[in-house]
Amino acid sequence: IFCSRLGGDERRVDSRTIYVGHRSCPANEAFIPPKFCDNRIVSSKYTVWNFLPKNLFEQFRRIANFYFLIIFLVQVIVDTPTSPVTSGLPLFFVITVTAIKQGYEDWLRHKADNEVNKYPVTVLEDGRRIRKESEKIKVGDVVEVEENETFPCDLILLQSSRDDDTCFVTTASLDGESNHKTHYTVPDTEKDLESLNATIECEQPQPDLYKFVGRMHIYKNNREPAVRSLGPENLLLKGATLKNTQKICGVAVYTGMETKMALNYQGKSQKRSAVEKSINAFLLVYLCILVSKALVCTTLKYVWQSKPGQDEPWYNEKTQREKDTNLYLKMFTDFLSFMVLFNFIIPVSMYVTVEMQKFLGSFFITWDKDFFDPEIKEGALVNTSDLNEELGQVEYIFTDKTGTLTQNNMEFIECCIDGFQYKYRDASSELDGFCVTDGPVNKLQQKAGREREELFLRALCLCHTVQVKEPTEQSQCQVDGRVDEVDGLGVDGEVLQTSEALRGFIASSPDEVALVKGAMRYGFTFLGLESKTMKILNRNNDVEMYELLHVLNFDPVRRRMSVIVRAISGDTLLFCKGADSSIFPRVRQEEVERIRMHVERNATEGYRTLCVAYKYLSAEEYAQADAGLREARLALQDREQKLMAVYNQVETGMSLIGATAVEDRLQEEAAETMEALQGAGMKVWVLTGDKMETAKSTCYACRLFQRNTELLELTVRTLEDDNLIELNLRGSSIFTSFSSLCCRSWSLTNQDYGFIIDGATLSMVLNSSNESNSSRYKNLFLQICQNCTAVLCCRMAPLQKAQIVKMVKNSKGCPITLSIGDGANDVSMILEAHVGIGIKGKEGRQAVRNSDYAIPKLKHLKKLLLAHGHLYYVRIAHLVQYFFYKNLCFILPQFLYQFFCGYSQQPLYDAAYLTMYNICFTSMPILAYSLLEQHICMEVLLDNATLYREIAKNAMLRWGPFLYWTLLGVFHGLLFFFGVRYLFSNPALQDNGQVFGNWSYGTIVFTVLVFTVTLKLALDTRHWTWINHFVIWGSLAFYVFFSFFWGGIIWPFLRQQRLYFVFANMLSSVSAWLVIILLILLSLLPEILLVVFRKPRGPHARQVEPKHTDTLTFPLCFTTFLPLFLDAVLHIFVVKRGWLLLFSIMYFSE
Amino acid sequence: MMASSYNAKEEDGHPSGASGHGGPGVVKSKKPDNTAFKQQRLPAWQPILTAGTVLPAFFVIGLIFIPIGIGLFVTSNNIKEFEIDYTGVDMDSPCYTCAKNSSWNNTTPCTCSVDFTLEQPFESNVFMYYGLSNFYQNHRRYVKSRDDSQLNGGRSALMEPSKECEPYRKTDGVPIAPCGAIANSLFNDTLELFHIDSNGSRNAVPLVKKGIAWWTDKHVKFRNPGGNNNLTLAFQGDFSKPVNWRKPVYELDPSDPENNGFINEDFIVWMRTAALPTFRKLYRIIQKKSSTTPTLPSGKYTLDITYNYPVLSFDGRKRMILSTISWMGGKNPFLGIAYITVGSICFFLGVVLLIIHYKYDTRNNSADIPN
């Protein structure tokens, strides 16, 4: 199934050769059809055949399942005190349920695979159009794709239905950029694809979406083959959608799992929550306790037996088989028997309960009506319930910008012309703005001259690369659908009634559209570009025509673009717009100051600012520029540099007209959300593919960067400015700039820092050639980042985002990371982070599908983390600790009993009690608690983000609390056993002088146990709903009822009626009652004391100010510092010595 | 569009109870139900245990527990108990010879007499126990070595005893009734008590052997096969007696068919395995005859023992215990002491809490203490 990458056919060559349409070329080389993998996508894990073994293998790789399997096998093989059914049945149940669930999920994946693989496509074969299934496309096939279809594989564009040999593509589902991108056909190819005879030589598949290098050899009538170079502009990627072009033809170059999209997709790895790791660690501790208990008992047993008359007194002879067994074998089986006897300390039911808690608990997220978004009519979505508690542990948030922080809707906000500020009128008066010819520009202070105004607006109308979407009949009716896709009008909900309003603008950058639309509001409408002529409808409803002479394209280094146009009047004009930093040095300085103020103010408000300048070109100047541009364009070598030089030469001596401010509107409550998250102690990193300036302004708008935040920039530009980009010195230069940054950040610690890095620099940091350097850089990088309140990474490729997440994830302390994004470009980081959140945005469902949780809006993240995450964490942490505790005090008396029964593995409790304890008597209250508990109510959690810090770093599952619970369990276990032991020093406990036996003993202990652990939970419950009441009192009642029932009947088919009327007889004894009450009360006494002095929380916290709760008194100190103290003690005595080893074992065993 | 990114778990997240079964054409609203449960807003009682609420509780507990404890302690102290070890370890003890010679397959019974004096009269009903020490009735191999269906008179179990009874399951292919180690090691010393009059004559103290086993055991759990009459017939032939027994099960108490066979109370008492290696079991009851005379007046007594039960091989001890009984059972000062202790602790804690609470409150009222 999988591709032949390993198959050897391709060997390890650097390029592949593709025969277009599988036609052999006339050249001398023989046509060997090369083998490539087919166009099949495989995401399923199992097939029908390997499901059972593979699934079982994977399930038993879980440490817990394996452990229970071993216990079960021991029970089957060895003569043990309990029947194998007690552990075999639950295990079988758990395994089966899991297998069914996983099988069903895989079946769904098969179905989804099939849907994609069987999608019909059109392939041109020998001049015929053949419908095929998508999976049957082979490399070299010529594929036809129609408008709005996605490309089934990576294609080289050969032919387009558009006249200019281009096609438009949106890659929203790939990198999240929803704008239209222009791709070009291979120049000078035959119009008739049938007769095209060509081979393509291109590099082996690689994941970088923006890189492609290839060559096309075209053979014509035995002439020397013509060679065309191929670049990313010729490559149509699988997953992208064809737009605004009727159809195209392309030849498949990469197929199936070798497409760039598939290579960018990371396998969905099984995410494990930190809680599960804690559980595993605790499990190991308990396993050690278990083994040592068994060892102690075995040893003592043989010591005890060595005394004469003890091993086999006359009243208790061994069977012949026992006598015959080898001593060492007997020791071993004794050891195993003890293991089985004490194995209830690690119950299967805990895993079942945890799973159930997670599964059921996750419904509260989907049910939450606060997550419901009326716009998309959807609520939150939970894709995996395994990570609920991880939501309460997040330390780093990686967020995408476009579509996540912002709405990706550009809106023209204001402009400034000659230093006068023009703010657009508010919505109510907008309509007037279009028809009124006089003064559409709202005068705020003073007005610039009308002349200048119009010049400015003309500049906006002319200086861009926007295309007008031809208003076809289709678009008339589809206008609703179009608005989103092409950033058409009406996005802002305006009602535009003119027919022009229905026209859509297509541009490579949404800013440009916003500017053109902005100009339109002020009365200058761009009508379109027809055969090099730009048409503008001016305020007076006259059409102005300009001949477009040259477009000096935008590039990120120059950070400006210009057009040279000739007006009807014959004047040649250059209009230039660009970032302030790149425009200001090129205009007359006296103009700058007036505008700089506005620009800076706008920038700090989070708007994207552009400056507009112009100049008249004299005929000579133009001729010179024209010649220079033409020459540079034709240059074969260093074309870029030469063009750049001409551009720089032309764009000088301009005069500044004004500046614009465009807002990329933030998501609702984005700033508040970010502030709350930062208040909760989370570090927010923005990872975006966008430009630095834009991203920076967004960060300001979201208050990630504050006004007083000092920004540390590490980008290609800053490096370049400092002349540090010398190739050979790259590594060291970054290192030096790093160190300098480091020094700065260390020296001033009370300053807030923001850090900005771009993709190119990052890849230098991460992929440094030198091994030792790279790790050093990484460490430095992390150090810097960790000292910054916010980090902005711009110009990131999808995989780089994942790389960053991975780096932070694996850094010291293993912080819990969360990624949030809405586009397919965020998928890799969503998958990489501990928790991946998808936003149900406009850019397809990719992110949502791959996420662990999906929410409609960014603002929902706050409640998801601060309320739900917090509660889930507290609930599950308590669940885990409680489970270990209740099983410790369950088994400890049984262990102690061994000292009194000759180490004979005699169970203290009846088998029914042993089995039912975890399943029926004590499971429901904790399950209800772990679903419903709200130790602090939601509103308070949302209002006080700092509460989140209290549970940070797995606070409730560290060794301190664990030790506390363990000690509590030991205390209770000792109390139960010895309390009853002293009572039984005279077993005549009834008022008729009759005596109690061993089963009465066990039943009394068990009764105390069940009541104590249930009441202990009741004490911990801060939020008593009727369900809690029902299950807590219900399970106690059930215990009593069951005990009566179990002891009330002579059970047929049972050879032993151990508990017959034992419970009823126990209740008839006053002493038993008294001891039960006494022991329950005594065990809960320390708990009650702790609860009394614990920080007042819950409803009280609602009224009480946080300050109030922090008032320290002596017992308060005691209770708050007790866990800390235990933690410290542990550190000193245990952690430093042995736990490293234990941890390494633990991690290997995972 | 890529299948590999499909996550099959998608369905998991959809609430099963999503509202609205919109007909075809109706947009199905996924709006979550606004119910208290789903929004986690169920009305809830949110108890806060504060020093204020717990303080009275501590005092109340203290005030209740201390009197109970005192009551228990006094009751326990009022119980008269007399215990005598008749194992015969020492050379000078009367049962020394018997102890030395006894083994479970002795044919001739060995008897010995132990004299003792009761300093105080035992006023109410007196319960006579035998006590064994270092006897592991709770050993796993021992505990499971029984067949309750056999003891319940089950025919099939009678013929084919449970495997757990090994090695006391069959002798020479004939099933043992009752099978198992517990039954096999039935305590078979006979104890008889004589009051020595002031004039030296021995008066046998009447010992009642009924009412010593749990009523439910006697009447439901243990049953003879084929009714209580004709036990000889029911057991003869097909079964053999337990190896250590001198007489078969149907001769345990030939005088009383209601106390014979499996429903013999001594047997039933023995079959209720003790919790600890040192235990006592009820042997006989000495009923109070009249309200004027004590059941056992103070004075000299003789205990006649038919010494059958060997315990020295495993370093065991045998005791005879005479005890009166109160509403709380036999003598056991533990409960009383425990109650007094816990009550005092609670009371003490209450006082400490009161002091702390008082201080805490005054501090709290004085000013906002900045954190």
Side-chain angles (χ1 to χ4, degrees), chain B residues 334-347:
Chain B
F334 163 72
L335 262 185
I337 294 170
Y339 263 84
I340 292 171
T341 317
V342 172
S344 316
I345 290 175
C346 280
F347 200 83

Side-chain angles (χ1 to χ4, degrees), chain A residues 509 511 554 608 688-696 794-795:
Chain A
S509 140
D511 302 60
F554 179 86
R608 300 144 76 103
T688 176
D690 215 330
K691 295 189 287 286
M692 192 187 105
E693 285 74 21
T694 347
K696 207 156 94 182
C794 39
R795 281 273 156 225

Side-chain angles (χ1 to χ4, degrees), chain A residues 894-911:
Chain A
Q894 183 139 288
F895 167 70
L896 294 169
Y897 193 55
Q898 300 309 307
F899 293 84
F900 296 88
C901 72
Y903 311 98
S904 57
Q905 301 122 27
Q906 170 62 25
L908 179 60
Y909 319 111
D910 182 59

Side-chain angles (χ1 to χ4, degrees), chain B residues 156-169:
Chain B
S156 56
L158 212 56
M159 306 298 295
E160 201 53 52
S162 158
K163 278 201 298 273
E164 304 286 352
C165 285
E166 288 290 359
Y168 306 101
R169 185 164 166 258

Side-chain angles (χ1 to χ4, degrees), chain A residues 174-433:
Chain A
L174 273 178
D175 57 7
E177 295 183 25
S178 57
N179 53 35
H180 288 212
K181 293 195 179 104
T182 317
H183 285 248
Y184 302 92
T185 55
V186 182
D188 306 328
T189 48
E190 308 256 343
K191 284 292 149 221
D192 183 12
L193 286 178
E194 231 183 297
S195 58
L196 176 72
N197 211 340
T199 60
I200 291 169
E201 220 179 294
C202 60
E203 59 185 352
Q204 291 295 354
Q206 58 141 320
D208 194 327
L209 291 178
Y210 309 109
K211 266 191 196 152
F212 177 71
V213 181
R215 267 189 307 201
M216 192 175 193
H217 301 261
I218 303 170
Y219 302 91
K220 242 183 227 170
N221 310 330
N222 293 329
R223 260 188 280 154
E224 194 56 20
V227 180
R228 304 272 179 272
S229 72
L230 305 175
E233 72 276 5
N234 305 112
L235 186 69
L236 304 171
L237 299 175
K238 180 187 172 87
T241 313
L242 184 65
K243 289 285 177 190
N244 217 16
T245 313
Q246 270 174 359
K247 68 177 183 183
I248 59 107
C249 288
V251 57
V253 284
Y254 303 126
T255 48
M257 302 307 278
E258 288 181 345
T259 54
K260 286 189 184 287
M261 181 187 184
L263 291 175
N264 261 288
Y265 169 76
Q266 294 180 321
K268 197 165 173 82
S269 60
Q270 266 284 297
K271 288 183 183 177
R272 293 262 179 94
S273 75
V275 168
E276 204 175 325
K277 282 177 192 153
S278 295
I279 295 180
N280 281 345
F282 297 164
L283 193 88
L284 270 171
V285 173
Y286 271 66
L287 215 59
C288 292
I289 295 178
L290 173 65
V291 171
S292 50
K293 272 184 181 177
L295 272 177
V296 165
C297 282
T298 317
T299 320
L300 288 176
K301 176 179 177 139
Y302 283 89
V303 171
W304 179 78
Q305 281 183 356
S306 64
K307 277 194 278 176
Q310 300 287 48
D311 185 23
E312 200 182 2
W314 63 266
Y315 58 86
N316 192 10
E317 280 173 12
K318 293 178 183 174
T319 58
Q320 198 56 42
R321 232 182 84 211
E322 276 178 284
K323 284 178 191 165
D324 293 343
T325 341
N326 174 287
L327 176 71
Y328 296 102
L329 186 64
K330 232 161 48 183
M331 279 180 166
F332 183 64
T333 54
D334 271 328
F335 173 74
L336 291 180
S337 290
F338 279 119
M339 291 276 287
V340 169
L341 184 67
F342 303 142
N343 96 83
F344 294 92
I345 204 170
I346 302 164
V348 192
S349 66
M350 180 173 77
Y351 285 84
V352 180
T353 313
V354 167
E355 292 281 310
M356 270 173 60
Q357 191 269 348
K358 287 181 169 182
F359 178 70
L360 297 176
S362 61
F363 280 111
F364 285 118
I365 294 179
T366 43
W367 282 338
D368 197 323
K369 69 175 162 53
D370 292 349
F371 293 156
F372 181 77
D373 188 59
E375 259 176 60
I376 56 169
K377 293 206 167 41
E378 272 181 71
L381 177 72
V382 180
N383 285 332
T384 172
S385 52
D386 290 342
L387 301 168
N388 292 342
E389 67 279 0
E390 210 86 330
L391 294 172
Q393 290 293 306
V394 176
E395 286 173 65
Y396 284 88
I397 293 183
F398 298 94
T399 166
D400 176 41
K401 186 188 73 71
T402 319
T404 306
L405 288 178
T406 67
Q407 296 179 339
N408 204 11
N409 274 342
M410 301 301 164
E411 202 190 346
F412 186 87
I413 294 295
E414 62 172 54
C415 60
C416 118
I417 303 171
D418 266 355
F420 299 109
Q421 187 194 10
Y422 290 77
K423 194 148 192 145
Y424 194 68
R425 256 185 242 174
D426 43 346
S428 56
S429 56
E430 263 176 36
L431 277 176
D432 313 333

Side-chain angles (χ1 to χ4, degrees), chain A residues 366-367 905 1057 1065 1071 1074, chain B residues 13 39 140 148 214 328 339:
Chain A
T366 43
W367 282 338
Q905 301 122 27
Q1057 311 289 342
N1065 259 307
S1071 296
L1074 287 174
Chain B
Q39 301 308 322
R140 182 171 141 238
D148 279 333
W214 290 13
M328 56 166 284
Y339 263 84

Side-chain angles (χ1 to χ4, degrees), chain A residues 611-684:
Chain A
C611 292
V612 182
Y614 83 106
K615 83 170 176 185
Y616 280 101
L617 291 175
S618 64
E620 306 86 72
E621 272 176 316
Y622 173 67
Q624 196 190 341
D626 185 49
L629 285 168
R630 277 175 203 286
E631 192 194 331
R633 277 207 184 114
L634 290 175
L636 286 173
Q637 283 179 329
D638 301 330
R639 191 190 294 167
E640 291 291 309
Q641 269 104 327
K642 282 180 184 163
L643 271 175
M644 200 81 74
V646 181
Y647 288 168
N648 284 339
Q649 193 193 325
V650 177
E651 290 164 341
T652 44
M654 300 178 289
S655 58
L656 194 61
I657 330 171
T660 59
V662 169
E663 185 184 23
D664 185 359
R665 264 216 234 138
L666 289 184
Q667 291 275 1
E668 293 167 57
E669 295 172 34
E672 290 86 341
T673 307
M674 286 300 136
E675 229 166 15
L677 296 181
Q678 284 192 325
M682 291 175 243
K683 297 209 166 104
V684 182

